[in-house]
Amino acid sequence: MAVWDDLVGQERVAEQLTAAARDADAFVTAVGQGGSPPEASKMTHAWLFTGPPGAGRVTTARAFAAALQCVSPDRALGGVPGCGFCDGCHTVLAGTHADITSVAAIGAQILADDMRDTVRKSFTSPANGRWQVILVEDAERLNEKSANAVLKAVEEPAPRTVWLLCAPSIEDVLPTIRSRCRHLTLRTPPVGAVADFLVRRDGVEPAAAAAAARATQGHIERARRLATDQGARQRRAAVLKLPLRVDDIGAALRGAQELIDAAGEDAKQVAEEIDTKETEELKAALGAVQGGRMPRGTAGVMKDLEDRQKRRRTRTQRDSLEVALSDLTGFYRDVLALQLGSGIAIANEDVRDALDRVARASTPEHTLRRIDAVIACREALDANVAPLLAVEAMAMALRAG
């Protein structure tokens, strides 16, 4: 299956990237044979992928990276790079290709220390593949120092280095960086396309796939999680009960605490899956002796790892809360649609009784203020307000209406 098949609802972007991958392949082939690269090319050294959450920015960038490293023999016969089966494509998609470096925010920001080795590697030639590819998954989280480091690398890249930056919008990236990138905008995938993708790639039953795609309004990863993870469905159901509990102060505050506890549990699960493995691998690399005692002089390295893991747990909790807030926003959006009789499709059809109840008990003005309260909570979390305080304030605002 070609790597482009994972680009849900992004036909125009896939067409542009396919053309660029063809030209990139022609460039490497010509240089390898001692010839001259094509004069006109749709390939460039830096790309910026933007689009709403769930549109598949990172998936699209990774598919392009796989196409750049594709070594399928069909290319010589006019085939499109990105077969999905060759060693180049497979190792990129598996995350093991030596010439693909991915950078994601561990905490709220990508620090300069996180980028130092990556920037240094960007100036080297490919070790095994056809291109040296640097994929920055959260370019909007670059802080001033790390963004300046990226800018210097993007300004004067090595001949066969490609930067792939992903961000929600073009305004989230420094003007000096985005001016040096080719910009591609992804759209929110149609609900039907997401449902078809879940059936085709994950074997989800059509009815369940349609319900998950509708509930998440085209957010691919959230739809997949909702369709395949019973725990995710249970957490969503708990979040959507909050609007029915805000009439009572005590229940509203308990609901806020439950949201925080659920987010903390998500962070704990990630920590259990990743932190232990990371710690053991680092201890082995540093030469831990039998019994777990570390050699002298390694305490600082272990402390750095613990700090990174703490930052990741904090971000995981915030990301989980972000999902809950998105669910609440969708709930009140449906309430508003019912109150106004707009006739648009209801995303949360599975809780239609709750939607009708809240819609009858309030006015569109109340609903708009409640949506504003959810947005204010998100902004407070972005400003590093203590999560419990931010969610409790939101619960009280939802009660006030």
Side-chain angles (χ1 to χ4, degrees):
M1 185 176 292
V3 298
W4 310 111
D5 292 340
D6 285 343
L7 276 60
V8 183
Q10 312 296 343
E11 291 77 10
R12 183 181 60 82
V13 169
E15 182 180 342
Q16 291 177 274
L17 292 177
T18 299
R22 285 183 183 276
D23 286 352
D25 181 62
F27 174 88
V28 174
T29 300
V31 171
Q33 295 175 350
S36 300
E39 293 184 5
S41 176
K42 295 180 175 64
M43 183 59 184
T44 188
H45 71 284
W47 298 76
L48 174 59
F49 300 87
T50 66
R57 298 185 299 264
V58 175
T59 298
T60 301
R62 196 172 297 281
F64 185 41
L68 293 178
Q69 305 291 17
C70 182
V71 293
S72 168
D74 291 341
R75 294 174 297 109
L77 302 176
V80 177
C83 65
F85 296 103
C86 71
D87 184 65
C89 289
H90 176 73
T91 52
V92 172
L93 298 179
T96 58
H97 197 290
D99 294 315
I100 305 290
T101 302
S102 295
V103 180
I106 297 172
Q109 296 180 331
I110 299 179
L111 305 180
D113 288 345
D114 299 331
M115 290 298 304
R116 185 172 294 113
D117 290 341
T118 300
V119 170
R120 186 180 300 115
K121 185 177 181 180
S122 74
F123 290 107
T124 64
S125 299
N128 301 312
R130 301 167 70 79
W131 295 87
Q132 183 78 259
V133 181
I134 310 297
L135 170 57
V136 183
E137 299 182 12
D138 307 293
E140 77 279 9
R141 295 180 184 264
L142 291 165
N143 65 16
E144 183 178 357
K145 290 184 178 179
S146 56
N148 286 334
V150 170
L151 174 60
K152 293 178 181 177
V154 171
E155 282 181 324
E156 299 179 2
R160 282 165 60 184
T161 292
V162 181
W163 283 83
L164 308 179
L165 309 180
C166 303
S169 70
I170 194 170
E171 289 77 16
D172 291 320
V173 181
L174 282 178
T176 48
I177 293 179
R178 68 193 192 216
S179 66
R180 290 165 173 80
C181 299
R182 184 166 298 170
H183 179 212
L184 293 180
T185 303
L186 280 67
R187 62 170 182 153
T188 298
V191 169
V194 175
D196 290 343
F197 178 77
L198 294 178
V199 173
R200 174 167 49 87
R201 293 302 301 269
D202 297 285
V204 179
E205 290 294 325
R214 185 172 58 249
T216 57
Q217 290 295 284
H219 192 300
I220 300 172
E221 288 306 316
R222 286 186 57 208
R224 172 183 279 139
R225 192 177 305 116
L226 200 60
T228 59
D229 183 354
Q230 178 65 25
R233 292 193 291 271
Q234 292 174 345
R235 286 191 292 273
R236 174 177 172 270
V239 169
L240 297 185
K241 290 179 181 178
L242 182 60
L244 300 178
R245 303 171 64 181
V246 295
D247 290 341
D248 178 81
I249 294 178
L253 292 178
R254 285 194 297 274
Q257 183 64 64
E258 288 168 7
L259 289 184
I260 297 299
D261 292 342
E265 185 63 28
D266 277 353
K268 182 180 178 182
Q269 289 180 1
V270 172
E272 289 175 350
E273 295 172 1
I274 300 177
D275 291 1
T276 300
K277 180 181 178 181
E278 280 184 345
T279 301
E280 293 304 318
E281 288 178 350
L282 182 58
K283 285 182 177 180
L286 294 175
V289 298
Q290 189 173 7
R293 290 185 293 108
M294 298 297 299
R296 290 184 179 181
T298 60
V301 178
M302 294 302 299
K303 180 64 167 56
D304 288 342
L305 176 62
E306 291 172 2
D307 290 342
R308 287 168 61 87
Q309 292 173 342
K310 182 178 179 180
R311 288 163 52 203
R312 183 168 56 216
R313 285 193 293 271
T314 298
R315 184 187 174 189
T316 301
Q317 183 184 37
R318 298 290 174 89
D319 289 346
S320 181
L321 286 174
E322 179 68 26
V323 171
L325 296 179
S326 295
D327 288 336
L328 279 176
T329 302
F331 181 95
Y332 284 116
R333 170 254 190 202
D334 286 346
V335 168
L336 186 63
L338 292 174
Q339 290 172 329
L340 297 176
S342 66
I344 65 173
I346 299 300
N348 298 287
E349 192 65 49
D350 56 324
V351 291
R352 183 60 179 260
D353 290 345
L355 294 172
D356 289 336
R357 178 177 165 185
V358 174
R360 289 192 302 267
S362 62
T363 66
E365 290 76 18
H366 286 101
T367 303
L368 287 171
R369 285 197 290 269
R370 284 167 172 159
I371 292 175
D372 286 341
V374 178
I375 295 173
C377 180
R378 181 180 286 115
E379 292 173 346
L381 291 173
D382 289 341
N384 289 322
V385 173
L388 181 57
L389 290 178
V391 176
E392 285 181 341
M394 178 191 70
M396 291 297 96
L398 294 178
R399 180 177 182 274

